Amino acid sequence: MNWLASDAAMVRKLVVKDWQVYRKQLAGYVAGLLFALGLVGMGSPLLSAAGGLLLLVLLIVVGTFAIGSLIMAERKEQTQPFVMSLPVTPMDVFWGKLLANLAIYLVPFLLVTGGMLALILGTPSPDGAVPWVLLIALFVLVNFVVSLCVAIAVDSDGWNAFAMLALMTLIGPFIYWVTWMDGIREHLQGDVIVWSPQVLWLIGGELAVIGIAILAAGWVHARKTSFL
């Protein structure tokens, strides 16, 4: 079982191809995210709430659209025979799809996360909200990575749609859960950033889920000896 790509140069070409296909849509999403960050930064509670919700929705949509366009739509368009004609292995395609989608998603993700942290630390807003923001941002990233890995590993559109919808429904309850969790709730309105054991355990758990999802999808592809 080989986990490595056979041709790094070909993987890079696959990543660049997907990036070029998606860059125009990505520019539109980035403009929307900057607008939403502007709403959050206005300081009005109503506008901040609207901006925060818009950020969350756009982050979910940009990930769903990337997975749908670069993986699920390509299957419907029967591009596999074309891929089989290229000098690539199943692991080359796995790493190409994984890295391309991660690169595309990390642009808006880092923009939103960095923008939110800059707004908190650069304004009179309570700095104690920093761990809370990071936990929610990482959960959204976990949501995307797990959905991506399911889409790469499973050919069924029905199961992919079910996985994405099921994961999306967890975001709201997760936000409510961490907002009222001991070790987080009492520090949200404070001016001191507290990395409580609960925060550190949750961050570790989120990173572990990302790693497990990538390993599981890689294991599925590493077992393949051909594209069929």
Side-chain angles (χ1 to χ4, degrees):
M1 186 180 295
N2 184 11
W3 286 72
L4 300 178
S6 65
D7 189 339
M10 183 57 72
V11 172
R12 184 177 61 81
K13 289 180 181 178
L14 293 173
V15 172
V16 171
K17 184 268 292 179
D18 282 348
W19 175 267
Q20 290 176 339
V21 168
Y22 198 75
R23 59 183 176 181
K24 291 183 179 178
Q25 294 91 332
L26 183 61
Y29 285 121
V30 168
L33 291 168
L34 289 173
F35 173 73
L37 278 173
L39 291 178
V40 175
M42 287 184 177
S44 164
L46 181 60
L47 291 178
S48 295
L53 181 59
L54 183 57
L55 284 175
L56 187 59
V57 170
L58 284 175
L59 267 185
I60 295 172
V61 170
V62 69
T64 303
F65 190 73
I67 294 172
S69 300
L70 300 179
I71 298 178
M72 296 170 67
E74 286 192 358
R75 287 182 182 143
K76 292 180 181 178
E77 294 168 359
Q78 299 297 316
T79 58
Q80 191 176 49
F82 169 72
V83 173
M84 291 169 65
S85 69
L86 300 175
V88 294
T89 66
M91 286 309 291
D92 292 336
V93 176
F94 166 75
W95 287 114
K97 288 299 178 186
L98 180 70
L99 295 177
N101 278 271
L102 284 177
I104 288 169
Y105 191 73
L106 285 178
V107 172
F109 174 80
L110 293 176
L111 173 67
V112 170
T113 305
M116 286 297 298
L117 295 180
L119 286 173
I120 292 173
L121 297 174
T123 65
S125 302
D127 292 353
V130 166
W132 180 78
V133 169
L134 281 178
L135 284 173
I136 294 173
L138 275 176
F139 189 80
V140 175
L141 181 62
V142 168
N143 202 301
F144 169 75
V145 172
V146 174
S147 297
L148 170 63
C149 290
V150 171
I152 291 175
V154 179
D155 290 338
S156 167
D157 287 349
W159 279 112
N160 283 319
F162 173 79
M164 284 193 282
L165 288 173
L167 289 166
M168 287 179 197
T169 60
L170 296 177
I171 295 177
F174 179 81
I175 293 175
Y176 179 85
W177 182 51
V178 297
T179 300
W180 293 100
M181 178 181 285
D182 290 340
I184 298 175
R185 169 179 46 81
E186 61 268 34
H187 305 299
L188 271 176
Q189 298 302 319
D191 290 327
V192 179
I193 300 172
V194 178
W195 301 100
S196 65
Q198 291 89 341
V199 171
L200 297 178
W201 273 107
L202 283 173
I203 290 176
E206 289 171 328
L207 295 177
V209 171
I210 290 175
I212 291 170
I214 292 174
L215 288 174
W219 178 77
V220 171
H221 269 261
R223 296 176 64 219
K224 293 183 177 179
T225 56
S226 71
F227 289 100
L228 300 177

